[in-house]
Amino acid sequence: MRQLARHRFLRSTHIAALVDRSLDRANDRLCRLFHAGYVDRPHAQLDYYPTSGSAPMVYALGELGAELLAGRGIECAHLELSRRNRNAGRPFIEHQLEIIDFQVSLDRALRQRDDISLIRSDELISEFPKQTRSMRNPLIMRVGVSHNGKTQEIGLVPDLTFGVRFSDSSRRCFMVEIDRGTMPIMRADLAQTSVARKMQAYLAAHSAKKHETQFGWKAFRVLIVTPDRSRAQSMKEALLRLSEARSIGPALFLFALRDELRASGPIAYDWEDGAGRRTRLA
């Protein structure tokens, strides 16, 4: 239930991996918790069960689960959980699950290493400057992006934020964007969402040194996970058309193909930056 409070939606396979239990044992416990009202099963997942076979069940925290955690001093931000779980649409749930896929894979990879460790987003936030910690969402960056002589303010919130700490106490910080292939890569109107608009906002944030003033970081990289190679190439071509003064440009972004990443994990994967150079996270 703590994991569901943290992540909102999880597959049974995610939960088994996060709590280090067998899938059979996790499924048995989840079934009991569901029928007792402590966890919930979002209805939207039932839309694709007839075509996806025995897909792992998706769970969310239920009202009784939230009350139990609150009684133990664990805050649960998701109010009116039953209604929110019921109204959550399939695209939203699937996007959240892909973020968790990445996070669980990252967590499992770093458990096997004794020379590096994972820094979760809540730990990163605890080290932010006091003014940032007091914000409603400390991870949101508001930046001005220029296009055709006009400047528009954009709120930038990554899908996931984490760090990797090394044995010498140094660290690397990352922001993750999970691309499901549904957002247009380029649009003529900056007011409309697009991958290029998001990348330009990250470039503007880096140029304005938002990572230093808002987070206290010396540097960061943006990890973009996308479904196929042709889409990744189109993103890189769009990136080369963008420019931002005092920005590191294409080197700010590291790209990965979703299925290849799942096979190797984020740490062992050979990421490729916007200029085609390969690197690893650690």
Side-chain angles (χ1 to χ4, degrees):
M1 287 188 288
R2 290 189 181 96
Q3 295 295 341
L4 288 170
R6 170 179 287 180
H7 299 293
R8 180 72 192 278
F9 297 111
L10 291 171
R11 292 190 183 96
S12 56
T13 48
H14 292 147
I15 295 171
L18 289 168
V19 301
D20 198 22
R21 295 291 186 272
S22 70
L23 182 57
D24 286 344
R25 186 175 178 184
N27 278 332
D28 177 69
R29 182 62 60 84
L30 285 165
C31 185
R32 293 170 183 269
L33 290 170
F34 170 70
H35 289 294
Y38 288 94
V39 301
D40 200 1
R41 293 171 177 167
H43 293 176
Q45 66 185 302
L46 301 178
D47 295 343
Y48 54 87
Y49 266 1
T51 58
S52 62
S54 56
M57 186 68 73
V58 178
Y59 287 91
L61 188 65
E63 300 285 356
L64 291 180
E67 291 176 11
L68 178 64
L69 293 179
R72 299 187 179 186
I74 300 172
E75 293 185 8
C76 299
H78 313 302
L79 301 177
E80 297 181 324
L81 287 170
S82 295
R83 180 181 61 81
R84 295 187 64 184
N85 293 338
R86 183 171 58 252
N87 293 338
R90 177 178 167 184
F92 175 79
I93 292 175
E94 289 182 341
H95 184 239
Q96 294 301 304
L97 292 175
E98 288 201 30
I99 296 170
I100 299 303
D101 280 342
F102 182 97
Q103 194 165 357
V104 170
S105 179
L106 176 68
D107 185 77
R108 297 182 72 176
L110 289 177
R111 283 185 201 172
Q112 301 170 10
R113 299 279 296 267
D114 55 11
D115 57 329
I116 55 177
S117 59
L118 175 64
I119 311 174
R120 302 181 188 278
S121 61
D122 51 358
E123 184 180 348
L124 287 173
I125 291 172
S126 71
E127 298 176 358
F128 284 175
K130 183 178 180 180
Q131 183 176 355
T132 304
R133 294 198 309 270
S134 65
M135 294 170 57
R136 182 174 182 180
N137 185 348
L139 291 171
I140 188 171
M141 295 183 289
R142 298 197 177 278
V143 295
V145 175
S146 300
H147 182 70
N148 292 334
K150 298 181 179 179
T151 300
Q152 179 177 340
E153 185 180 82
I154 295 176
L156 194 57
V157 184
D159 288 331
L160 178 67
T161 304
F162 73 95
V164 175
R165 194 183 306 279
F166 297 85
S167 55
D168 62 359
S169 296
S170 64
R171 68 180 184 181
R172 295 177 185 172
C173 298
F174 302 96
M175 296 183 173
V176 183
E177 292 291 341
I178 304 295
D179 169 60
R180 301 186 61 243
T182 56
M183 181 183 289
I185 293 177
M186 295 281 292
R187 278 182 170 172
D189 188 354
L190 190 65
Q192 296 179 304
T193 58
S194 69
V195 175
R197 176 181 185 262
K198 187 171 289 188
M199 292 192 297
Q200 190 171 359
Y202 274 115
L203 288 170
H206 186 274
S207 175
K209 299 186 182 300
K210 286 281 187 178
H211 55 292
E212 295 183 13
T213 58
Q214 187 170 331
F215 305 145
W217 297 351
K218 293 181 179 179
F220 74 101
R221 290 293 182 273
V222 181
L223 309 181
I224 299 181
V225 181
T226 191
D228 59 73
R229 194 171 301 279
S230 62
R231 186 167 171 84
Q233 183 59 35
S234 296
M235 289 181 185
K236 294 173 188 175
E237 291 170 1
L239 179 58
L240 293 175
R241 301 190 193 107
L242 303 175
S243 62
E244 191 71 35
R246 302 185 304 280
S247 169
I248 63 175
L252 181 63
F253 302 92
L254 300 177
F255 295 87
L257 304 183
R258 182 182 59 201
D259 291 343
E260 292 182 1
L261 184 66
R262 285 174 176 169
S264 66
I267 300 300
Y269 188 80
D270 287 325
W271 295 77
E272 190 171 301
D273 74 7
R277 295 167 294 216
R278 291 188 175 272
T279 187
R280 292 191 175 185
L281 304 188

